[in-house]
Amino acid sequence: MSSLPERSEIDEEYKWSIGSIYASDEEWEDAYESVRERIDDVRAYEGRVTESAATLRELLETYEDVMREVATVTQYANLRSNEDTRNQEYQAMASKAQSLSAEASSASSFIEPELQQLDWDDVESFIDEEPALAEYEHYFDDALRMKPHTRSAEVEELLADLSEVTNAPSETYSMLSDADMTFPSVEGPDGEEIEVSQGNFTTLLQKPDRDFRRRVHESFYEEWADVRNTVGTTLAKSTKKDVKLAEARNYNSAREAALDGPNVPVEVYDNLVGTVRDNLDSLQRHAELKRRALDVDDLEMWDVYMSLTGEEGPDVSYEEATDMVVEAVAPLGEPYQRRMAEGLESRWVDVYENRGKRSGAYSAGTYDTQPFIMMNYQDDVSSMYTLAHELGHSMHSELAKEAQPWQYANYEIFVAEVASTVNETLLTQHLLENADSDELRLHALDQYLERFRSTLFRQTMFAAFEQQIHEHVEDGKPLTPDVFDDYYGGLKEEFYANAHVDDHIRREWMRIPHFYYNFYVYQYSTGISAAAAIVERILDGGEDAAADYRDALKAGGSEYPIDVLDIAGIDMTSADPIESAIGVYDEYLGRAEELLDL
């Protein structure tokens, strides 16, 4: 029987170098206690933020010192807890760190309300008195911009104190899906029992044996049916939380509140959903091509992840993947390429799945640590693309940290998903031109098409679902599992009009953790649209265009995300990048049709 290894069975070279943060858990504990005591240093400035330019400068410097250490303490604990969600010691550590973060946020919640007592003339006067404050000019602008949606210092402190409570639906869902749920084993084509997991589910749906895929699909979603009411409750409460917090800050909707944080116009969201829905014929062309390639009468939901070749892709070891990804980013410049290679050698990546490990993949880190990439690498083409994706995030963080002070090193997700998808696009270009086999070349083309399908179309479908369920609550209606099924199933039927939407897939919403992230997923779709346009500029314009893109990455959070993308030559307030991305998708569908002679 195929089974997952325990973490102790995985070689150290395939684990992230978490010791680069703290050498031991005891050292973490010392750091935790030290920074917890220093939180009062920030509280000491309450009521004094605008007392003088010198006081404001001192406060901001103290706040930075404390919050940088809080972030590092929290990061270490989260990474440890994600290594094995069954480990109660590390879950307790993560809980302590979250409480610390909430305490620090509460202790500093007075800063922006007090800053908002100033007007821009006052800010300029303070900068004249203390030139060091000029570094915070964008921060001041952002704080004053949010003035209509910031409550009194007392209310802001209360909202900050409640963060542990308001995060409860997401944390409950995570513990249920990653730690407590176990999925049945399914008999494989050769008779071997194969354990289904969150990490390998979509990989198993790429196996050639169609009946095996059906069994995986049905057994996986039947397991979710057993926790239907629990997951329905967590998502309903999470959605209501978004709505209530938006109301508390005087927004008209949860969506408006979520997009106003990074200062992204709501029209960008509407523009995305509308443009994609107007072009569903391209998605359905892909579905029909897949049906013909698989030679089936009806495309079923357990066929959707299958390769157009009808075969498993070639095995790609982790070492092979790192080589190809590093080679692929050459158009971004030698320093970028070299830094990525050094990071891989420095064990940025936690590579393989183990029992209890958090599902999925992400890139994390703080201003004072190296990047950390979590993966559940499966030795396939898809995993290679995921590696490229997460390395895009990590390199973005490295460039921003090197170029920006602490307060601007973090960047909005709206921009982050561009960096990750540029790497994916460059990987496709590289493999189409340099792969040493037609098999790999064809699977790279197929993978790119799948990335478009799952990113531009699937994430936009998710965005439409998020909007529907939030508006449902805003209309005063209760959310139930049946309501979720109806909304999600209706969208699935709209997007996959020429495929069979079965009852199991109507509950797919239950397995999507991003629905707890409050209007997050649309940024994957805008990201792939912007990335396609950026890569086209780089391949046409060479080093000048690559330099524009690197400058955009280096900007970090020093400008609003729409303006950051403008540095790279992309206007996301128009439909042009989205329509261009769909044009690329259609072009590659045509190439696939030619290669497959379909």
Side-chain angles (χ1 to χ4, degrees):
M1 177 176 173
S2 174
S3 62
L4 297 175
E6 294 293 339
R7 186 163 183 84
S8 59
E9 298 176 84
I10 295 177
D11 290 342
E12 288 298 311
E13 65 180 302
Y14 298 115
K15 298 176 184 178
W16 49 29
S17 56
I18 197 168
S20 63
I21 307 180
Y22 300 113
S24 65
D25 295 345
E26 290 73 24
E27 186 175 319
W28 175 87
E29 189 70 40
D30 291 342
Y32 168 87
E33 294 296 340
S34 173
V35 73
R36 187 181 180 192
E37 293 174 1
R38 296 185 58 213
I39 290 175
D40 284 339
D41 294 346
V42 177
R43 284 196 179 96
Y45 287 90
E46 187 167 2
R48 301 174 53 214
V49 174
T50 62
E51 179 180 85
S52 69
T55 300
L56 178 57
R57 177 184 57 76
E58 291 169 4
L59 163 62
L60 293 175
E61 290 172 352
T62 301
Y63 174 72
E64 175 180 338
D65 288 344
V66 171
M67 295 308 289
R68 282 173 67 167
E69 188 62 30
V70 166
T72 301
V73 164
T74 302
Q75 187 66 262
Y76 180 90
N78 287 339
L79 295 176
R80 280 297 194 202
S81 69
N82 287 173
E83 291 175 346
D84 186 347
T85 58
R86 303 168 304 168
N87 186 312
Q88 294 304 301
E89 179 182 348
Y90 286 143
Q91 299 314 308
M93 179 185 286
S95 180
K96 281 179 62 174
Q98 184 182 51
S99 296
L100 177 73
S101 183
E103 183 182 356
S105 295
S106 175
S108 59
S109 61
F110 65 88
I111 297 176
E112 292 196 6
E114 290 190 36
L115 267 179
Q116 288 163 355
Q117 296 171 11
L118 304 174
D119 59 30
W120 194 249
D121 287 341
D122 297 326
V123 170
E124 290 181 332
S125 176
F126 272 24
I127 292 173
D128 287 341
E129 291 180 44
E130 284 282 349
L133 291 175
E135 188 177 85
Y136 294 89
E137 189 169 342
H138 178 69
Y139 168 74
F140 295 145
D141 180 74
D142 203 28
L144 296 182
R145 179 181 68 84
M146 300 299 288
K147 194 170 185 175
H149 304 291
T150 303
R151 303 294 299 273
S152 67
E154 182 180 14
V155 172
E156 288 296 330
E157 182 176 7
L158 174 62
L159 292 173
D161 281 340
L162 286 173
S163 63
E164 282 189 271
V165 178
T166 56
N167 286 334
S170 175
E171 291 176 13
T172 302
Y173 171 81
S174 179
M175 292 306 296
L176 175 69
S177 62
D178 291 331
D180 291 343
M181 287 186 72
T182 56
F183 297 92
S185 296
V186 175
E187 183 179 345
D190 58 0
E192 180 185 15
E193 289 292 308
I194 297 176
E195 183 178 0
V196 180
S197 71
Q198 288 273 55
N200 70 8
F201 172 62
T202 56
T203 299
L204 296 178
L205 290 182
Q206 297 167 38
K207 301 297 183 182
D209 187 302
R210 196 182 191 209
D211 191 56
F212 170 72
R213 297 199 305 273
R214 178 190 59 77
R215 294 196 302 272
V216 169
H217 174 87
E218 292 177 353
S219 65
F220 182 78
Y221 284 113
E222 283 166 9
E223 194 69 27
W224 281 105
D226 290 342
V227 292
R228 173 179 176 79
N229 292 319
T230 300
V231 178
T233 299
T234 60
L235 185 54
K237 296 304 182 186
S238 180
T239 305
K240 182 168 282 191
K241 174 260 299 182
D242 297 339
V243 171
K244 291 301 183 182
L245 288 179
E247 290 173 353
R249 295 194 179 282
N250 302 315
Y251 284 101
N252 294 319
S253 69
R255 185 174 63 135
E256 180 186 332
L259 270 65
D260 194 38
N263 200 19
V264 174
V266 171
E267 291 75 17
V268 171
Y269 198 103
D270 292 333
N271 189 39
L272 167 70
V273 175
T275 303
V276 168
R277 280 179 135 161
D278 287 343
N279 288 276
L280 290 179
D281 56 322
S282 295
L283 174 64
Q284 290 153 16
R285 178 187 176 190
H286 192 180
E288 173 59 17
L289 176 60
K290 190 161 290 194
R291 185 195 67 78
R292 298 203 315 270
L294 297 178
D295 192 24
V296 295
D297 292 334
D298 295 299
L299 190 75
E300 299 285 353
M301 288 299 104
W302 52 83
D303 298 322
V304 169
Y305 287 92
M306 268 300 293
S307 166
L308 285 169
T309 67
E311 302 172 353
E312 293 183 59
D315 288 342
V316 181
S317 70
Y318 176 68
E319 287 75 15
E320 290 171 326
T322 58
D323 289 344
M324 285 188 272
V325 172
V326 170
E327 291 169 4
V329 298
L332 301 183
E334 192 274 335
Y336 182 104
Q337 188 180 36
R338 183 179 66 253
R339 184 71 189 92
M340 180 185 288
E342 291 171 350
L344 288 165
E345 292 172 2
S346 302
R347 290 170 49 207
W348 283 0
V349 186
D350 201 79
V351 182
Y352 295 116
E353 186 176 12
N354 58 255
R355 284 190 177 276
K357 187 176 178 181
R358 183 189 187 276
S359 62
Y362 64 73
S363 172
T366 74
Y367 195 71
D368 298 303
T369 73
Q370 67 173 55
F372 293 91
I373 295 174
M374 169 162 280
M375 289 197 67
N376 288 276
Y377 196 86
Q378 298 290 324
D379 286 334
D380 56 19
V381 175
S382 178
S383 293
M384 175 170 60
Y385 270 81
T386 299
L387 177 64
H389 180 104
E390 300 305 338
L391 282 167
H393 290 312
S394 295
M395 286 300 299
H396 191 176
S397 296
E398 287 294 277
L399 291 176
K401 286 194 300 185
E402 291 170 3
Q404 298 296 335
W406 170 78
Q407 66 269 22
Y408 299 140
N410 286 332
Y411 43 83
E412 298 292 346
I413 298 299
F414 190 89
V415 177
E417 293 309 327
V418 175
S420 56
T421 316
V422 162
N423 274 16
E424 292 181 16
T425 307
L426 287 171
L427 177 60
T428 302
Q429 295 284 348
H430 174 74
L431 292 174
L432 288 177
E433 294 175 4
N434 300 291
D436 58 7
S437 71
D438 288 340
E439 181 190 24
L440 180 55
R441 189 172 290 107
L442 182 57
H443 279 278
L445 176 59
D446 180 69
Q447 183 64 215
Y448 193 52
L449 288 171
E450 279 298 291
R451 294 275 163 166
F452 257 100
R453 180 193 67 79
S454 63
T455 304
L456 185 56
F457 290 94
R458 178 177 169 82
Q459 301 298 332
T460 300
M461 184 185 73
F462 287 172
F465 175 73
E466 278 194 282
Q467 186 174 349
Q468 287 177 335
I469 63 176
H470 282 81
E471 288 177 349
H472 190 93
V473 172
E474 287 160 354
D475 289 339
K477 302 174 185 177
L479 284 171
T480 66
D482 287 345
V483 171
F484 289 129
D485 285 354
D486 288 344
Y487 279 133
Y488 195 86
L491 286 167
K492 206 76 176 181
E493 288 173 346
E494 177 188 354
F495 276 64
Y496 289 91
N498 57 341
H500 178 231
V501 175
D502 64 284
D503 288 341
H504 288 94
I505 204 66
R506 290 177 179 275
R507 66 179 76 118
E508 186 181 30
W509 56 269
M510 296 177 66
R511 79 172 188 91
I512 310 300
H514 292 79
F515 290 150
Y516 296 83
Y517 296 178
N518 192 17
F519 292 98
Y520 177 102
V521 295
Y522 83 97
Q523 296 164 117
Y524 287 115
S525 301
T526 54
I528 196 171
S529 302
I534 287 170
V535 170
E536 186 175 4
R537 286 189 82 239
I538 291 172
L539 296 180
D540 289 344
E543 173 54 26
D544 288 344
D548 290 341
Y549 172 64
R550 293 194 302 270
D551 286 344
L553 298 183
K554 292 175 184 177
S558 64
E559 298 191 42
Y560 296 117
I562 294 294
D563 299 324
V564 170
L565 291 182
D566 188 59
I567 295 172
I570 306 301
D571 179 11
M572 287 308 299
T573 64
S574 76
D576 291 347
I578 302 163
E579 291 173 347
S580 175
I582 293 172
V584 171
Y585 182 61
D586 276 325
E587 177 188 343
Y588 277 81
L589 282 171
R591 292 182 65 172
E593 288 169 342
E594 291 176 4
L595 283 171
L596 294 167
D597 194 23
L598 291 172

